[in-house]
Amino acid sequence: MPHDHSHPQTELPADPVLRVKALETLLVNKGLVDPAALDEIIETYAHKVGPQNGAKVVAKMWSDPGFRDAMLTDPMPVLRDMDLYGRQGEHMVFVENTDTVHNIVVCTLCSCYPWPLLGIPPGWYKSDAYRARVVREPRAVLQEFGVSLPEDTVVRVWDSTAETRYLVVPQRPAHTEGLSEEDLAARVTRDSMIGTGFAAETV
Ligand code: FE
């Protein structure tokens, strides 16, 4: 049987790390990219920007009803004020979990994700399996993440795009009355803001 030499573009290259390195070298050699700027971007999103940003916003939404309303209706001016505005997060939409609705976020096309609020997406978020299955069978996917929902809970799947990125506002855990925003933020996990987890009952 002849070997098939056609490789659909959706397949990952044999060695993505090598490919990225080759692309970076090419861009730098052609003067299209400043290597220092590239390092700065990677450093920023790998170490300085992470889910702690989103957690801070969620904790404030739990604590301050006026702030919550603003985030659910027109979040961008607030995020700008909080210095949480940036690339891959220019148009954010906050979707709130309730007793009857559970939200979950995916990018079916690629891996769009709210960088300024959550940092760099986890590997599974970018996987073909997650992207395809979360639309078809969200409850089965949620089960695999350990999230069991009552039968009558409505599951809403939000498909991120280059223009619009979503952040799930998890439900505030019970017995957290009186906690400071900082302590509340510690309960807000990354997965709870993607919708594949709950906020932590304990720290
Ligand atoms: Fe995408």
Side-chain angles (χ1 to χ4, degrees):
M1 211 168 86
H3 177 70
D4 180 12
H5 281 276
S6 71
H7 295 281
Q9 288 190 340
T10 49
E11 268 179 31
L12 275 177
D15 188 343
V17 176
L18 209 62
R19 291 242 171 169
V20 167
K21 194 68 210 161
L23 275 175
E24 185 186 337
T25 306
L26 197 66
L27 289 170
V28 170
N29 288 351
K30 284 191 174 289
L32 292 172
V33 156
D34 172 6
L38 212 53
D39 286 346
E40 169 73 23
I41 291 171
I42 292 167
E43 165 69 17
T44 299
Y45 286 99
H47 300 292
K48 294 180 195 153
V49 177
Q52 69 272 15
N53 286 352
K56 194 166 84 177
V57 174
V58 169
K60 200 167 168 63
M61 289 177 75
W62 285 345
S63 309
D64 179 343
F67 180 83
R68 170 192 165 273
D69 293 347
M71 296 313 283
L72 293 178
T73 50
D74 188 17
M76 293 323 297
V78 187
L79 290 173
R80 270 197 198 86
D81 283 350
M82 294 176 81
D83 205 20
L84 292 175
Y85 176 84
R87 70 185 78 206
Q88 312 282 328
E90 291 91 343
H91 184 201
M92 288 297 310
V93 173
F94 287 73
V95 289
E96 190 180 52
N97 288 348
T98 65
D99 286 340
T100 52
V101 175
H102 184 91
N103 298 283
I104 180 166
V105 180
V106 65
C107 174
T108 54
L109 209 59
C110 45
S111 57
C112 297
Y113 193 71
W115 287 17
L117 294 167
L118 295 184
I120 292 172
W124 56 259
Y125 184 84
K126 299 184 274 185
S127 71
D128 289 345
Y130 178 76
R131 288 160 40 212
R133 289 185 53 221
V134 85
V135 178
R136 281 203 315 265
E137 41 176 4
R139 279 177 179 270
V141 172
L142 284 168
Q143 280 290 356
E144 287 162 33
F145 278 94
V147 173
S148 305
L149 298 168
E151 273 298 303
D152 54 357
T153 299
V154 176
V155 179
R156 287 197 186 129
V157 181
W158 299 87
D159 193 359
S160 302
T161 64
E163 275 86 47
T164 305
R165 313 288 164 108
Y166 300 92
L167 191 118
V168 176
V169 182
Q171 284 193 282
R172 180 175 176 155
H175 316 299
T176 53
E177 302 80 8
L179 286 190
S180 68
E181 278 181 31
E182 204 183 340
D183 288 339
L184 285 172
R187 308 294 188 95
V188 186
T189 63
R190 178 195 66 197
D191 286 7
S192 74
M193 292 181 280
I194 304 175
T196 51
F198 295 123
E201 297 283 335
T202 53
V203 182

